[in-house]
Amino acid sequence: MDALSYLSVPPGIGMEENFFSLDDILLSHERLPCRTESAFPRLGFLEKSSDSRDIPEGTKMEMPLWLAKGLYEKKRRVLSMELPKVYREGWRTVFGADPAVVDLQKMGPYYYGLGSQMLHFDSPENPEIANTILQTFIGRFRRTMDSSQNAYNEDTSALVERLDCLERSLFKSGQSGLNSFQLWEKGRSSHLTASSLVINYRKRKITDLQA
Amino acid sequence: MFCEKSVELIRELHRMGDGQLPAFNEDSIRQVLEEMKALYEPEQNQSDVNEAKTEGKSELIPSIKFRHCCLLRNQRCISAYLYDRLLRIRALRWEYGSVLPTAIRFHMCAEEMEWFNQYKKSLATYMRSIGGEEGLDITQDMKPPKSLYIEVRCLKDHGEFEIDDGTVILLKKNSQHFLPRWKCEQLIRQGVLEHVIS
């Protein structure tokens, strides 16, 4: 495969977010259910269900993760966070039974990322959440690795369909490793090819013309 | 909700994960900047800040913090947008060489063009400074060469082309040539020539 000269900023590891990472910005846009524990004066227009000037205390609303993280304080209770369904007890049992059957693309698609981010908020269930995420990853990793190392020259869309974003990027690196290895085995690794950027750009131009 | 527009910018780049450079979205950037101005505006935010300070109205603090978070978020999205674009533009120098196709140049804003030119200059200065008298082109031989000459086929009409010894050859579509590798590497990357392995 081509050694690409464009590499996007990688997402942060664990509970950290990477400031410039596009993935992390999209991850922190996921909405979380929460309840306001103090009023937000003069911001009532953000809550479409009511006409009042303020957002009163005790309003249930959905907030993106970045905002919840910014407003949340351990000492002064401004917000109380609720767990999204996938991290609650019921789903944790499902993951405990067989992590491989769950469609993480549908449930996430940032299942691991969001789960780690939830640990920023004080919740008595945090240890269980952390453990479930870890065990889920371990339980699914082998299959992801196997399929990425053995699907050569075939349509992989069915294989990645149910993977979380993190797993997809692992799958992709596995595939590019496999492809490079195959090229080397065939003695073609010194074959010069057109840059994939140039090729894709040309493809797009053709579709632009058709549109 | 605030900050929807700025995430749109990020989504736009994210959709093109392979490093393509989409057109510079000046319109959205301006809208985000306007939203930021509105968030900071004197009538509301500043008056809230003043009231909280002078009259000790601490109940206003959550709202002030709310706006502050939105400002920081917009700042992050725009910085990430611009930075990721720079990474893409830098990659273009290595993939296309120092002259970019017009279609791509149209996708850059004036400041990005300037940055690209500066980057080109820095790279050229560096390449002249290493490898002795003549300098060293580090964009060459991205894959270790096995031979000095390679067989190439023309994929489109490219016109005349001069090689080291002064011979001029005509690169015509579907013609095949045996050329010094370092002379054609760039053209292969640009998709003008195709490397033929027998």
Side-chain angles (χ1 to χ4, degrees):
Chain A
M1 283 264 113
D2 235 359
L4 258 180
S5 34
Y6 164 74
L7 287 173
S8 59
V9 184
I13 295 167
M15 281 170 72
E16 298 291 320
E17 268 189 73
N18 200 339
F19 190 80
F20 282 133
S21 156
L22 303 184
D23 271 312
D24 274 352
I25 292 183
L26 291 180
L27 156 68
S28 57
H29 201 65
E30 292 280 309
R31 288 171 172 272
L32 301 172
C34 64
R35 193 169 161 275
T36 56
E37 297 283 342
S38 76
F40 289 88
R42 296 170 197 172
L43 286 174
F45 61 93
L46 291 175
E47 252 289 285
K48 286 179 184 85
S49 53
S50 76
D51 297 328
S52 64
R53 234 171 119 248
D54 309 339
I55 299 177
E57 188 185 326
T59 314
K60 284 202 167 182
M61 55 191 296
E62 286 204 324
M63 269 193 195
L65 171 69
W66 56 267
L67 186 55
K69 248 174 109 178
L71 291 175
Y72 188 82
E73 277 174 59
K74 277 183 185 157
K75 281 182 225 132
R76 225 152 44 93
R77 286 175 71 78
V78 183
L79 282 182
S80 59
M81 304 305 300
E82 273 167 45
L83 281 176
K85 264 202 214 100
V86 253
Y87 304 107
R88 285 192 207 150
E89 171 99 56
W91 271 97
R92 287 209 300 270
T93 336
V94 175
F95 282 111
D98 185 1
V101 295
V102 187
D103 184 345
L104 282 189
Q105 185 62 29
K106 215 166 86 196
M107 303 307 295
Y110 294 102
Y111 173 75
Y112 300 112
L114 192 63
S116 323
Q117 290 297 320
M118 290 310 292
L119 303 179
H120 281 289
F121 309 111
D122 256 341
S123 151
E125 290 175 64
N126 274 356
E128 283 98 15
I129 298 175
N131 194 33
T132 311
I133 298 175
L134 180 62
Q135 292 307 324
T136 307
F137 183 80
I138 295 173
R140 293 167 62 100
F141 178 67
R142 199 198 155 97
R143 187 179 289 194
T144 314
M145 191 176 89
D146 263 2
S147 62
S148 84
Q149 290 302 294
N150 288 302
Y152 182 61
N153 252 344
E154 52 183 279
D155 180 21
T156 55
S157 51
L159 294 172
V160 296
E161 195 178 40
R162 290 144 63 83
L163 298 186
D164 169 271
C165 282
L166 172 69
E167 292 168 338
R168 280 188 186 205
S169 72
L170 286 173
F171 185 89
K172 232 169 100 187
S173 355
Q175 283 270 293
S176 97
L178 174 70
N179 282 323
S180 317
F181 179 68
Q182 294 292 340
L183 276 182
W184 177 79
E185 248 188 358
K186 287 188 220 150
R188 293 179 76 99
S189 51
S190 63
H191 185 210
L192 297 173
T193 49
S195 133
S196 58
L197 255 179
V198 178
I199 294 172
N200 287 338
Y201 189 74
R202 208 172 299 147
K203 271 189 214 149
R204 217 160 56 93
K205 244 186 3 202
I206 293 166
T207 49
D208 280 355
L209 284 177
Q210 285 164 342
Chain B
M1 197 46 110
F2 298 117
C3 308
E4 293 294 339
K5 207 75 219 174
S6 52
V7 171
E8 271 309 305
L9 283 172
I10 300 296
R11 283 216 186 90
E12 192 184 298
L13 285 184
H14 195 252
R15 265 197 301 272
M16 296 188 174
D18 56 353
Q20 308 258 339
L21 188 72
F24 185 71
N25 200 337
E26 207 182 335
D27 208 40
S28 295
I29 295 255
R30 208 187 39 244
Q31 285 179 41
V32 174
L33 291 178
E34 263 157 33
E35 187 186 277
M36 289 175 79
K37 248 184 235 154
L39 280 164
Y40 190 73
E41 60 159 348
E43 295 102 79
Q44 205 174 15
N45 190 41
Q46 293 304 322
S47 74
D48 278 6
V49 172
N50 284 338
E51 272 177 53
K53 254 195 222 154
T54 53
E55 297 165 39
K57 278 194 181 169
S58 59
E59 72 269 19
L60 289 176
I61 290 176
S63 287
I64 295 169
K65 212 171 160 196
F66 190 105
R67 292 195 199 96
H68 184 68
C69 286
C70 296
L71 282 168
L72 288 180
R73 172 69 174 183
N74 274 333
Q75 184 198 37
R76 177 180 179 191
C77 290
I78 289 203
S79 315
Y81 179 76
L82 295 175
Y83 183 66
D84 196 73
R85 283 181 65 89
L86 283 192
L87 292 181
R88 286 167 197 236
I89 292 169
R90 185 177 69 183
L92 291 175
R93 167 65 186 86
W94 293 79
E95 304 280 336
Y96 280 91
S98 53
V99 183
L100 295 182
T102 4
I104 291 184
R105 254 181 292 155
F106 276 139
H107 284 181
M108 290 155 63
C109 70
E111 288 80 7
E112 286 174 335
M113 269 319 284
E114 197 191 319
W115 187 87
F116 181 74
N117 288 331
Q118 295 282 348
Y119 180 71
K120 241 166 38 181
K121 255 186 229 156
S122 310
L123 192 65
T125 315
Y126 175 66
M127 291 198 293
R128 259 198 312 275
S129 73
I130 53 171
E133 285 284 288
E134 287 170 15
L136 178 70
D137 185 353
I138 52 172
T139 65
Q140 287 287 331
D141 294 326
M142 302 292 266
K143 288 175 184 171
K146 289 252 166 74
S147 54
L148 286 174
Y149 281 77
I150 53 171
E151 187 83 35
V152 289
R153 183 180 303 128
C154 259
L155 295 175
K156 51 180 163 192
D157 292 320
H158 190 68
E160 292 185 339
F161 187 65
E162 192 181 328
I163 48 175
D164 309 347
D165 55 6
T167 349
V168 176
I169 48 164
L170 184 65
L171 293 181
K172 206 165 170 285
K173 192 171 177 180
N174 292 328
S175 60
Q176 217 155 304
H177 309 272
F178 195 57
L179 296 175
R181 186 186 140 113
W182 70 274
K183 265 288 195 185
C184 20
E185 200 176 336
Q186 185 107 60
L187 289 172
I188 293 174
R189 223 177 293 147
Q190 290 170 358
V192 176
L193 298 177
E194 179 188 34
H195 184 186
V196 187
I197 297 182
S198 42

